[in-house]
Amino acid sequence: MRASGTVGVVHSSPGVVAVAVLSGLVAAGATALLAASARRRVGPHRQTHVLLAVAAGIALVGLLVGVTAVLAAGGHWAHRQGQRTGWATLVSVGGTLGGLALCAVLLRLPGAALTRAATARLLLDGVIMASALWFVGWVAFSEPTRLLGEPTPVACVPIVLATLSAALTAGLALIMVLRAAPPRGRLALLGAGGTGVTGGGLGLAAGLCQTGPGMAVTGAAVLAAGLLATAVAVHRVDLLGQVDVDLIRRDGEYAFVPMFAMVASAMYHLVQGGSFDGFGVVAGSVEGFALVARQYLALNDVRGYASRLAEREAHFRELAHTDPLTGLANRRGLLRALHRCADAGVPCVLLGLDLDGFKNVNDMRGHDVGDAVLAEVGRRLRGNLRPGDLAARLGGDEFAVLMHGANDAGPVAERLLGVLGRPYEEADGPVFLSVSIGVAGTCGETEVERLLRNADLALRYAKQRGKNRIERYDATYDQLLRRRTTLEHELRGAIERDELRLAFQPVASLPSVRPVGAEALLRWHHPELGNVRPDEFIPLAEECGMISTLGAWVLHQACFQLSRWLADGHDVWVSVNVSPRELHAPEYVVQVADALRAHHVPPQRLVLEVTEHAVATDLDELIRRLAALRLTGVRIALDDFGAGYSSLGQLRRLPIDILKIDHSLVAEHEPVRPVGRDGPAFAPMVDIVMRLGHQLGLEVIAEGVTTRTELAAVVAAGCRFGQGALFGWGVPAEHLEAMLEAATSPGARPTSVPPAPPAPPVHPGPPLLPGFRSNAPAPRPSEEGSSQVAPAVEGAPRPDTPTSVNQNVGSVDSSREMRQA
């Protein structure tokens, strides 16, 4: 009874009343603040703020009920145990509901509710932590520990319910704070506020149920402080903290630490002589089941994670074998398919495809159009293959098709040749391309590299034989490749080993057939390979980048030999062929000037021959290069005129001095007879070119004169200079020198040729050698068939020729048919 009176006195003290009232006011203010915050929130987190305000309202109701019960008990505290237990039950239920609402708020934090599995894992982690906290608290406050001594509450249903709510809220808040990414300040304050709310509710319920008004008002104060902390944590800010639900980083410690705490407390409890009742067994069972469920979920997550990794690995592995632009297999994918065929022993055929002229599409239309064309090629390939066949893009404009079986390769290749050759419709106009195809079969071989090499050889052979065709691999391609490789290797040292030499093919004056010039021709004699044809090693030199080196050597050797002939008194000139790559090199003009200067050769004695193929590249750049070369004093000849590249418009723009008629125009099968007059038949195309050349102020040389009939035809057409087998093949320098000596000896006579026809219409035309251009009249054939040319005016400078002391040396006159400066 003394204790009850003491309790009544304490309960009735002004301090208890003040604390109770102040707690109610603080809790009400915090709840109002949370409600106002939820009212002005918009966006995805508004419902969470509303739930937080509801939880605060429930906690406020529980606080007011508990405080009212404490104040209403007055001096009859000990006699109203039943009423206090009822009030404690209401407070405990309110605290439990508020705690569950706060737990729901924590689980709705950013990152926590990404998936149901993640939410379940976090909730189980909170249950594990809560079970450990409850068990440790049970050990601390039960017999024999009784941490609070006499005031320690004993088993009471409201207290048990409140302790579960407080433990769950504290455990879940701790897990959230530990798993949140920095900064964690406001999230920790929110978790502390929630723990304070449920802990204060526990203290208020315990005070009402057993301990007394002191514990009750203390719990009320803690509950109010928890609500205030919660309101401060979310005031004017959105929900903070990003919860990390990673399965690997910092995951096991949340299970082992609580379990270790439970085991340690259980051992302590047993050592102190305690025993486990139903509450301890339940707590341990909950902990065990929660751990098992948590690990089961983690195991499922790990399995799902591993499955996703496997799917991604397969996806990226497939991407590694796929061309991103066309969607076809890439080189790695083709190799994988080839190895599978080889391992299974399945015969297969490989088609190598290369688009002809695709580089021009990128250069002229842009890479976007080029990519669109390549994508369309991929679609056409996929749409024209048999099931099971594989199409691949190996890189650039090179494709391949792997076919299983060797029976249908020919028809498929023919179909692809037609399909890929159709126009490619683009926004700014169609694109026209052709394709070259090389076919290679396994033929019993299982070497993947050999099959790829054979298909590539067949494709290269198709490109070399004119493109837009199909070539099947043949064993001779290996021999050609080996020879090409050997030639390329040996050609790099041919100059140092002194294996190259020059041959000179004479250019004759017509109709006297007197040698007046020579074309320098490169020859290669290898000690083991023998004589290598120019049409074999010259293209090879252009491909491997040695043409500039060979051209420089030819230029210096030709100038050296020309200087020797001039020193010996021979009136001769030499022409040198220039490749397009040399001509477009910026340093080539300097090389020509240096060679002339080094060998003391008058510039007019050197003729540089440019083929019509060079005209087909870049006309404007070609004109600039030729103009720069002519400024050095050399003359320019357009070789192979009539082969199909030059147009009349281009011919007028080109800064050239000489036209060399292609053999195809000279070797006409049916020469034309003059109309309305007597005379020998003549070559009409040569006659046309002669007239054109004279109109443009150019000299004309007929190439490829091989028979006397052709000679008579070109002479009849009025051509003054010829070159071909009839006048001599390419010979060493000493042989040509002997020809020059014989032609200029006192007893030399003009070679007998068929009589010339009456003179054709005369057009102004220049002599070949005195300078670049002249207004001297063209020669007229005489009745005896000899050419008599009016002498050039000595000392008269030509407007487009650099003034030089050697400018008019050796002018053509009537006493000598051909002299040149």
Side-chain angles (χ1 to χ4, degrees):
M1 295 296 294
R2 188 181 303 172
S4 299
T6 303
V7 171
V9 172
V10 173
H11 173 71
S12 302
S13 64
V16 171
V17 175
V19 171
V21 173
L22 183 61
S23 299
L25 293 176
V26 170
T31 302
L33 190 62
L34 289 172
S37 177
R39 188 179 301 110
R40 67 171 178 268
R41 294 289 173 180
V42 293
H45 299 305
R46 185 176 186 278
Q47 294 181 354
T48 304
H49 284 275
V50 171
L51 183 60
L52 188 61
V54 171
I58 295 174
L60 176 62
V61 171
L63 183 146
L64 294 178
V65 170
V67 169
T68 302
V70 171
L71 296 178
H76 307 284
W77 183 269
H79 301 287
R80 296 184 178 180
Q81 180 66 43
Q83 294 180 357
R84 287 188 288 108
T85 301
W87 292 113
T89 302
L90 292 177
V91 171
S92 179
V93 171
T96 301
L97 294 177
L100 293 177
L102 289 173
C103 290
V105 170
L106 291 175
L107 289 176
R108 294 175 65 90
L109 290 177
L114 294 177
T115 62
R116 293 182 179 179
T119 304
R121 281 199 308 272
L122 289 174
L123 182 59
L124 285 174
D125 287 338
V127 170
I128 292 171
M129 193 69 69
S131 300
L133 291 175
W134 194 94
F135 187 83
V136 172
W138 176 80
V139 170
F141 292 103
S142 63
E143 293 288 349
T145 303
R146 294 181 63 84
L147 185 63
L148 298 180
E150 287 296 330
T152 300
V154 296
C156 179
V157 175
I159 297 177
V160 174
L161 190 62
T163 55
L164 294 176
S165 174
L168 181 61
T169 305
L172 189 58
L174 182 60
I175 287 295
M176 290 297 182
V177 172
L178 291 177
R179 289 216 169 186
R184 303 186 181 98
R186 286 186 176 270
L187 181 60
L189 183 60
L190 178 63
T195 303
V197 170
T198 54
L202 171 61
L204 184 57
L208 285 173
C209 188
Q210 292 182 356
T211 308
M215 176 66 73
V217 295
T218 301
V222 172
L223 190 153
L227 287 177
L228 181 62
T230 302
V232 171
V234 299
H235 182 61
R236 293 185 179 178
V237 295
D238 211 338
L239 293 177
L240 299 179
Q242 180 68 33
V243 181
D244 186 7
V245 293
D246 185 33
L247 298 179
I248 299 175
R249 184 166 55 92
R250 298 191 313 164
D251 193 58
E253 59 194 57
Y254 305 129
F256 288 109
V257 172
M259 196 66 188
F260 177 79
M262 291 185 67
V263 172
S265 61
M267 294 297 296
Y268 171 78
H269 184 69
L270 292 176
V271 169
Q272 293 296 323
S275 60
F276 292 103
D277 56 10
F279 292 108
V281 174
V282 169
S285 300
V286 169
E287 181 77 6
F289 281 114
L291 280 174
V292 171
R294 174 64 175 81
Q295 296 308 315
Y296 176 77
L297 288 179
L299 180 60
N300 280 342
D301 288 339
V302 169
R303 286 175 178 171
Y305 185 67
S307 176
R308 290 192 298 272
L309 282 180
E311 292 176 358
R312 292 178 182 178
E313 181 183 3
H315 173 68
F316 287 119
R317 186 184 297 112
E318 194 61 31
L319 286 181
H321 293 83
T322 304
D323 176 63
L325 178 60
T326 62
L328 304 177
N330 57 12
R331 183 178 294 273
R332 189 180 292 107
L334 177 64
L335 288 174
R336 180 179 63 177
L338 285 172
H339 283 291
R340 289 176 178 173
C341 289
D343 295 340
V346 178
C348 60
V349 176
L350 184 63
L351 279 63
L353 302 92
D354 189 87
L355 301 178
D356 303 325
F358 180 76
K359 183 178 183 300
N360 294 331
V361 177
N362 281 335
D363 294 342
M364 304 303 296
R365 306 282 289 272
H367 288 275
D368 292 340
V369 175
D371 290 346
V373 170
L374 292 177
E376 177 61 23
V377 170
R379 286 189 288 269
R380 293 185 185 184
L381 285 176
R382 282 194 299 269
N384 289 273
L385 294 181
R386 305 173 309 174
D389 293 345
L390 176 71
R393 180 189 176 209
L394 305 183
D397 60 342
E398 187 177 357
F399 295 82
V401 173
L402 178 62
M403 300 177 54
H404 299 285
N407 297 326
D408 300 332
V412 171
E414 291 286 350
R415 183 169 68 252
L416 293 180
L417 191 70
V419 167
L420 299 181
R422 293 202 299 262
Y424 297 84
E425 298 296 336
E426 298 297 330
D428 53 349
V431 175
F432 298 94
L433 293 174
S434 61
V435 64
S436 300
I437 302 178
V439 183
T442 55
C443 299
E445 299 178 1
T446 58
E447 298 181 12
V448 172
E449 292 77 10
R450 178 71 62 86
L451 181 59
L452 285 170
R453 177 177 172 272
N454 292 348
D456 185 61
L457 282 177
L459 176 60
R460 290 170 60 184
Y461 194 62
K463 302 283 280 188
Q464 292 176 3
R465 295 194 63 185
K467 305 178 181 179
N468 193 27
R469 59 186 298 120
I470 301 170
E471 290 291 338
R472 185 175 289 273
Y473 169 78
D474 190 89
T476 56
Y477 297 168
D478 285 326
Q479 300 175 4
L480 296 175
L481 178 62
R482 282 194 296 268
R483 179 172 175 82
R484 185 187 186 282
T485 305
T486 303
L487 289 178
E488 180 179 349
H489 180 269
E490 295 297 323
L491 184 59
R492 296 187 182 276
I495 296 177
E496 291 75 8
R497 295 191 301 269
D498 196 24
E499 297 173 359
L500 301 179
R501 60 184 177 87
L502 289 184
F504 297 90
Q505 186 177 25
V507 177
S509 172
L510 302 181
S512 65
V513 198
R514 182 186 302 273
V516 293
E519 180 179 355
L521 305 174
L522 182 59
R523 297 292 183 261
W524 179 20
H525 179 77
H526 191 272
E528 296 180 1
L529 300 175
N531 292 323
V532 184
R533 299 190 314 274
D535 60 352
E536 187 176 11
F537 72 84
I538 293 296
L540 179 60
E542 292 179 347
E543 291 181 16
C544 66
M546 285 194 61
I547 192 65
S548 298
T549 303
L550 294 183
W553 184 88
V554 171
L555 179 64
H556 279 275
Q557 291 295 318
C559 288
F560 170 73
Q561 186 60 55
L562 179 58
S563 67
R564 292 188 59 181
W565 286 334
L566 294 176
D568 292 341
H570 297 296
D571 199 3
V572 70
W573 52 274
V574 170
S575 64
V576 175
N577 291 284
V578 183
S579 71
R581 183 169 297 182
E582 289 181 277
L583 191 60
H584 286 79
E587 65 276 6
Y588 186 70
V589 176
V590 179
Q591 292 178 1
V592 172
D594 291 343
L596 294 172
R597 189 182 308 110
H599 301 286
H600 305 286
V601 173
Q604 293 85 356
R605 298 282 184 173
L606 180 64
V607 177
L608 300 179
E609 296 190 10
V610 181
T611 64
E612 281 196 313
H613 296 274
V615 180
T617 55
D618 188 347
L619 184 61
D620 294 333
E621 179 66 18
L622 178 65
I623 291 174
R624 288 192 292 268
R625 298 295 182 187
L626 294 180
L629 285 171
R630 291 188 69 201
L631 289 178
T632 65
V634 301
R635 285 165 298 167
I636 308 297
L638 183 61
D639 198 8
D640 300 331
F641 180 75
Y645 284 91
S646 299
S647 66
L648 295 181
Q650 293 173 340
L651 194 61
R652 296 190 60 182
R653 295 179 58 192
L654 290 173
I656 60 176
D657 306 281
I658 305 168
L659 280 181
K660 300 188 72 174
I661 306 176
D662 187 74
H663 174 68
S664 61
L665 302 183
V666 174
E668 292 184 309
H669 299 290
E670 295 293 338
V672 177
R673 296 277 179 183
V675 179
R677 58 184 173 88
D678 295 332
F682 63 95
M685 294 304 298
V686 176
D687 180 72
I688 292 173
V689 175
M690 282 293 304
R691 295 171 183 270
L692 175 64
H694 289 166
Q695 287 288 348
L696 297 177
L698 306 176
E699 190 55 80
V700 181
I701 301 176
E703 285 189 295
V705 180
T706 57
T707 65
R708 297 181 66 85
T709 303
E710 293 174 355
L711 174 61
V714 298
V715 170
C719 187
R720 299 193 299 154
F721 305 102
Q723 181 181 355
L726 187 62
F727 313 120
W729 296 101
V731 296
E734 55 270 19
H735 292 185
L736 184 62
E737 186 173 355
M739 296 171 62
L740 294 173
E741 291 285 355
T744 57
S745 63
R749 295 185 178 182
T751 304
S752 176
V753 295
V762 177
H763 302 279
L768 173 64
L769 299 172
F772 293 117
R773 302 283 164 88
S774 171
N775 293 323
R780 298 175 64 90
S782 65
E783 295 180 0
E784 292 81 5
S786 63
S787 176
Q788 300 294 331
V789 184
V793 179
E794 295 290 344
R798 285 147 177 90
D800 54 354
T801 305
T803 303
S804 170
V805 295
N806 297 318
Q807 180 175 344
N808 297 307
V809 175
S811 299
V812 176
D813 53 31
S814 58
S815 61
R816 300 186 64 179
E817 293 174 326
M818 182 57 64
R819 290 185 180 178
Q820 300 164 320

